Amino acid sequence: MGRRESSAMVLLALVLLHGVQAGRVLPVEEPDVSATVKATRVSVIIIGAGMSGITAGKTLSENGVKDLLILEARDEIGGRMMTHDFGGITIEKGANWIEGVNGPNVNPIIPIAKEIGLVNDRSDFENITNNIYGANGKVDLEVAEPANKFIEDLYESSESLALRLTNDTDVSVLTAQRFYGRFPVTPVEMALDYWYNDFTSAEPPRITSLKNTQPLPTDAIFGDDVYFVHDPRGYKSVVHHLANSYLENKNETITDNRLKLNTLVNKIEYSKEGVEVTTKDGTVYTSDYAIVSVSLGVLQSTAIDFVPDLPFWKLKAIYTFDMAVYTKIFLKFSKKFWSSGSGNKFWLYADERRGYYPIWECRTWIVSFPMRMCSW
Ligand SMILES: Cc1cc2nc3c(=O)[nH]c(=O)nc-3n(C[C@H](O)[C@H](O)[C@H](O)COP(=O)(O)OP(=O)(O)OC[C@H]3O[C@@H](n4cnc5c(N)ncnc54)[C@H](O)[C@@H]3O)c2cc1C
Ligand SMILES: *[C@@H]1O[C@H](CO)[C@@H](O)[C@H](O)[C@H]1NC(C)=O
Ligand SMILES: *[C@@H]1O[C@H](CO)[C@@H](O)[C@H](O)[C@H]1NC(C)=O
Ligand SMILES: *[C@@H]1O[C@H](CO)[C@@H](O)[C@H](O)[C@H]1NC(C)=O
């Protein structure tokens, strides 16, 4: 079950899938000591009921560890798989794609998606050069095709540089581009560069690690196709399905008292004797082990006070990565003025300013464009 440190363990489940989060850091609040209650000791406390926390509970449960307690700060499970009702349509505030499909291994989300009939479709990026617009309208294929070839060649040469790096060396994607001798400068090249790099990594090439992204492990292991989820129940229904497989529920609503919602953890004390987890209302829960599944952003903040401090090797891992910000803006128009169909779902806007509203995705009614404003 992981690495042992004294006899108590604090496992950090760091799911760094593109390292993005909804971007809200939970505040630290002093527990109200007068309200302190020692609840019954359990084997494992899981902090966080997102995809990783709920999956950890399922794995434990299937292996006979059923006296567990899941503590979740928000009023629902799912974490960064979160929906919002936008003019009668369910939109995804967090994860939206099943990433890594049609490759050598089956993405574990696929069988679940099939089982629950999750509505999704393959994102077709092939026709992107036909859908680039600039300040003066549609960009000619004569301009778009060579720019796309340049960006693809740049990507491939970066990949070969990545393979030449020794184990303890890493450089940024921008460094690799500089090695190539030329980097994207025209509006169309910059838009395509943003599309290949920032859209995938949620960080600009100057920040993105070459070694960790080329080749991209998700693509190499599971395949490079991505499927866009647009199910009225939300992508989070995958997490609900996993939860319902081991937590008591009535008509799909979890009634199991091993799941505590609206329960914000702000202190984790661990020793040879076990783990004491203190929540905002001052309740202290005790266990033999704890699994911490909160996001990297929460771990990098002061939201949870670890006593004693986490060991250096763990802190190093936590602070070596950066929590990226991924912004989506949804717009709804009264009239559909864009062309649709599989080769037309994605458009690029090529501006003089890199990262200026570059990516547009069009659905029946909604145009959404993930974007990242550049700050350099
Ligand atoms: C905008 C956006 C777009 C994304 N797009 C995709 C995509 O298309 N495809 C994809 O595969 N992935 C995508 N991701 C990433 C994906 O959503 C995450 O990797 C995944 O949901 C993380 O699950 P998790 O369980 O590790 O963490 P989380 O979902 O963050 O779960 C952690 C849980 O811990 C809780 N918590 C935090 N602090 C405390 C505390 N102190 N006490 C108690 N509970 C606490 C949180 O409320 C949360 O429920 C996207 C993420 C974002 C934000
Ligand atoms: C680099 O790491 C791999 C995988 O851990 C290992 O097999 C290889 O021997 C390492 N190479 C060097 C030069 O250290
Ligand atoms: C189950 O939940 C659904 C959706 O919340 C609701 O429409 C339905 O009436 C519920 N059924 C029962 C038996 O409670
Ligand atoms: C590619 O996009 C163009 C311009 O929108 C469109 O006319 C064409 O039908 C698309 N091709 C495919 C194969 O989808």
Side-chain angles (χ1 to χ4, degrees):
M1 223 180 94
R3 194 182 295 229
R4 233 181 145 74
E5 35 178 22
S6 66
S7 69
M9 277 193 309
V10 178
L11 289 185
L12 296 176
L14 296 179
V15 178
L16 291 172
L17 195 62
H18 296 182
V20 275
Q21 76 147 357
R24 196 165 62 95
V25 171
L26 299 161
V28 195
E29 283 184 47
E30 286 302 316
D32 174 4
V33 185
S34 61
T36 298
V37 183
K38 291 255 176 191
T40 325
R41 183 173 173 131
V42 296
S43 289
V44 184
I45 291 176
I46 297 168
I47 296 132
M51 185 69 169
S52 62
I54 290 296
T55 303
K58 182 171 187 278
T59 307
L60 287 170
S61 189
E62 286 170 358
N63 286 281
V65 183
K66 295 188 197 300
D67 61 329
L68 33 97
L69 191 60
I70 306 173
L71 307 177
E72 166 57 49
R74 291 181 55 239
D75 62 357
E76 64 167 356
I77 68 166
R80 278 172 278 172
M81 295 165 97
M82 194 191 289
T83 55
H84 184 75
D85 180 67
F86 181 71
I89 297 164
T90 302
I91 57 165
E92 301 287 346
K93 288 169 84 176
N96 219 143
W97 276 276
I98 304 173
E99 297 188 18
V101 190
N102 300 330
N105 298 285
V106 177
N107 184 324
I109 293 179
I110 292 292
I112 303 169
K114 284 193 175 138
E115 203 176 328
I116 64 175
L118 191 72
V119 183
N120 65 87
D121 59 53
R122 182 175 162 269
S123 289
D124 177 4
F125 301 136
E126 306 301 317
N127 202 27
I128 196 68
T129 48
N130 250 314
N131 290 288
I132 305 177
Y133 292 81
N136 303 315
K138 195 171 185 306
V139 171
D140 281 347
L141 268 185
E142 284 156 39
V143 175
E145 291 289 4
N148 192 48
K149 168 127 188 12
F150 163 55
I151 300 297
E152 275 180 356
D153 288 351
L154 191 57
Y155 203 86
E156 262 169 42
S157 96
S158 303
E159 206 167 281
S160 64
L161 178 69
L163 297 173
R164 286 168 59 195
L165 293 174
T166 52
N167 283 359
D168 56 359
T169 328
D170 193 8
V171 297
S172 72
V173 168
L174 179 63
T175 301
Q177 295 184 340
R178 284 174 172 154
F179 261 94
Y180 182 74
R182 184 160 103 77
F183 51 90
V185 284
T186 69
V188 175
E189 288 168 359
M190 289 192 295
L192 284 160
D193 183 41
Y194 189 100
W195 168 256
Y196 281 88
N197 290 298
D198 309 45
F199 186 39
T200 305
S201 302
E203 290 281 16
R206 128 183 288 175
I207 291 179
T208 305
S209 150
L210 181 70
K211 193 179 229 162
N212 289 299
T213 58
Q214 293 185 24
L216 205 62
T218 308
D219 293 8
I221 299 167
F222 299 115
D224 56 14
D225 276 343
V226 297
Y227 283 68
F228 188 84
V229 175
H230 50 102
D231 190 298
R233 297 166 294 174
Y235 200 170
K236 67 182 177 189
S237 50
V238 166
V239 183
H240 283 267
H241 180 72
L242 295 171
N244 288 336
S245 75
Y246 70 99
L247 293 173
E248 274 169 47
N249 60 88
K250 278 207 183 77
N251 192 18
E252 310 249 302
T253 301
I254 301 165
T255 51
D256 203 308
N257 59 16
R258 291 174 297 169
L259 169 69
K260 298 210 180 300
L261 299 174
N262 301 305
T263 305
L264 189 137
V265 169
N266 52 22
K267 187 174 175 190
I268 301 174
E269 219 171 330
Y270 59 103
S271 73
K272 285 195 193 75
E273 278 67 53
V275 187
E276 280 190 1
V277 176
T278 309
T279 60
K280 190 187 159 195
D281 70 359
T283 308
V284 179
Y285 297 95
T286 56
S287 60
D288 300 336
Y289 303 98
I291 295 178
V292 181
S293 79
V294 302
S295 69
L296 188 66
V298 174
L299 289 173
Q300 289 179 343
S301 76
T302 53
I304 300 175
D305 183 16
F306 287 92
V307 181
D309 280 346
L310 292 171
F312 174 75
W313 66 267
K314 217 170 251 186
L315 290 174
K316 201 180 99 186
I318 291 169
Y319 295 121
T320 300
F321 276 86
D322 188 28
M323 201 71 197
V325 177
Y326 206 98
T327 308
K328 309 185 197 184
I329 298 174
F330 293 86
L331 301 174
K332 183 176 175 178
F333 295 93
S334 53
K335 218 170 82 187
K336 180 172 161 289
F337 59 85
W338 55 92
S339 44
S340 51
S342 68
N344 293 294
K345 275 189 185 128
F346 295 90
W347 310 340
L348 293 185
Y349 170 61
D351 194 79
E352 296 284 339
R353 182 173 157 196
R354 189 183 189 281
Y356 190 72
Y357 305 98
I359 299 168
W360 293 70
E361 180 180 358
C362 324
R363 292 274 148 183
T364 322
W365 284 104
I366 301 169
V367 179
S368 73
F369 50 104
M371 66 147 199
R372 191 186 151 87
M373 300 299 290
C374 38
S375 55
W376 66 95

